[in-house]
Amino acid sequence: MTRPEAASLPGASDTPPDRLAQRASRLLSQLATRSDRLVNEGLAEVDARKWHYAVLASLADQGPASQAALSGRTGIYRSDMVGVLKELTARRLVDRSPDLADQRRNLVTLSAEGRRRLRLLDRILDEVHDELLAPLDPAERDQLVGLLTRLLQPRHPDAPPSP
């Protein structure tokens, strides 16, 4: 059955039932889907991906790192990191050189071109976030980020509930 067919059924409505509309998990999932779409579309306009941004931002904020360290910092699987770094190296956004402390691995550093590219990607993501969070005032945006950050913090099973 197609969506238009389903909408024409007796009692059909575009409004979800209260039971669904009031579930934080459902709302967060819908927001994540919308956010992901906006980010992917915005970055695609300049031939970039969110993993490019994650690696460039990590290198800019936390300095040079091994491939394994970048994987841990960004949450990108090690096997996927190989491809991401290959793309970024081909675009001259990062440099790889032998790690003087351990010759078995390479250190990845942000190139000057990578810094320029990161500034562009920051501007694009600022615009995306402005669109995504348009209904909220600046204080609400800060509050939302704080609440989401708290929700994503690992919680020890024996810890008392947060106030």
Side-chain angles (χ1 to χ4, degrees):
M1 177 179 309
T2 66
R3 182 175 262 234
E5 290 170 339
S8 67
L9 293 174
S13 167
D14 285 344
T15 305
D18 287 344
R19 190 173 295 209
L20 287 177
Q22 296 175 5
R23 292 282 176 203
S25 57
R26 183 170 191 269
L27 295 170
L28 287 168
S29 177
Q30 289 177 314
L31 184 61
T33 299
R34 181 169 183 235
S35 174
D36 206 40
R37 180 181 51 80
L38 290 172
V39 166
N40 287 333
E41 289 172 358
L43 293 175
E45 290 179 12
V46 294
D47 192 28
R49 298 182 307 141
K50 59 186 169 185
W51 298 130
H52 294 165
Y53 181 79
V55 170
L56 297 176
S58 173
L59 292 171
D61 291 353
Q62 297 174 307
S66 68
Q67 180 177 310
L70 280 172
S71 179
R73 288 181 189 177
T74 61
I76 300 172
Y77 290 115
R78 286 183 184 199
S79 58
D80 294 334
M81 182 62 74
V82 173
V84 173
L85 290 177
K86 185 176 179 181
E87 290 175 20
L88 294 174
T89 302
R91 295 174 186 206
R92 299 178 189 226
L93 302 177
V94 300
D95 296 311
R96 289 194 260 192
S97 59
D99 184 347
L100 298 177
D102 184 348
Q103 294 293 320
R104 294 172 295 173
R105 67 180 179 198
N106 287 320
L107 270 184
V108 181
T109 57
L110 188 61
S111 69
E113 183 61 31
R115 287 188 192 288
R116 284 189 290 278
R117 182 70 166 176
L118 181 58
R119 285 192 296 272
L120 170 65
L121 299 181
D122 278 334
R123 286 193 302 272
I124 289 169
L125 291 180
D126 287 346
E127 292 171 9
V128 165
H129 290 141
D130 284 344
E131 179 181 345
L132 181 69
L133 303 175
L136 305 178
D137 65 40
E140 290 171 323
R141 291 178 185 200
D142 289 343
Q143 182 181 18
L144 176 63
V145 169
L147 292 170
L148 292 171
T149 300
R150 267 182 53 202
L151 289 172
L152 289 170
Q153 293 299 315
R155 200 169 157 271
H156 190 284
D158 298 330
S162 300

